[in-house]
């Protein structure tokens, strides 16, 4: 299983970015896909997740109303649309996958992609 995250960059506060995570190596229809982030000097934290089959989503309180997760089954890709970005959103963002239902704990995810840096300037 491989997860390839991309789309990070430098953006001003209030701006938007869309991250992509391309999944390969198996069928992910029974999987949950999560997004996590890790700021410098801090622990990795849950951002949001989506059930590949049902499309059910869950988000951290800090990003609710600003971030949206979606998936494109034909492209085996999960997206993280980030709007109204704040400097505190600056972090390395990771996508992850786990069989079964979506969960919020990073230890509950089996597969991880490499991170993509998001930097939000004030």
């Amino acid at each position: 299983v491989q997860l390839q995250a991309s789309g990070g960059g430098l953006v001003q506060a209030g701006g938007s970015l869309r991250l992509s995570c391309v999944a390969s190596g198996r069928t992910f229809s029974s999987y949950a896909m999560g997004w996590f982030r890790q700021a410098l000097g801090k622990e990795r934290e849950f951002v949001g997740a989506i059930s590949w089959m049902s499309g059910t989503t869950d988000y951290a309180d800090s990003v609710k109303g600003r971030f949206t997760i979606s998936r494109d089954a034909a492209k085996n890709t999960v997206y993280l649309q980030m709007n109204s970005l704040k400097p505190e959103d600056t972090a390395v963002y990771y996508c992850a996958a786990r069989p079964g239902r979506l969960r919020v704990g990073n230890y509950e995810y089996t597969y991880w992609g490499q991170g993509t840096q998001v930097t939000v300037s004030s």
Side-chain angles (χ1 to χ4, degrees), residues 31-32 61 81 86 92 121:
Y31 273 56
D61 288 343
Q81 178 67 44
K86 305 175 182 180
V92 178
S121 62

Side-chain angles (χ1 to χ4, degrees), residues 11-63:
V11 63
Q12 288 189 330
S16 298
L17 279 175
R18 188 178 78 160
L19 306 184
S20 300
C21 176
V22 179
S24 61
R26 64 162 300 122
T27 301
F28 290 91
S29 58
S30 62
Y31 273 56
M33 307 296 291
W35 285 98
F36 294 80
R37 67 187 181 186
Q38 187 167 18
L40 194 62
K42 296 187 177 181
E43 294 186 354
R44 191 171 299 186
E45 64 175 2
F46 173 76
V47 174
I50 187 168
S51 168
W52 196 279
M53 180 175 291
S54 68
T56 300
T57 55
D58 191 16
Y59 299 94
D61 288 343
S62 58
V63 306

Side-chain angles (χ1 to χ4, degrees), residues 60-73:
D61 288 343
S62 58
V63 306
K64 278 181 182 176
R66 300 189 298 123
F67 290 10
T68 303
I69 297 175
S70 60
R71 81 263 194 249
D72 184 331

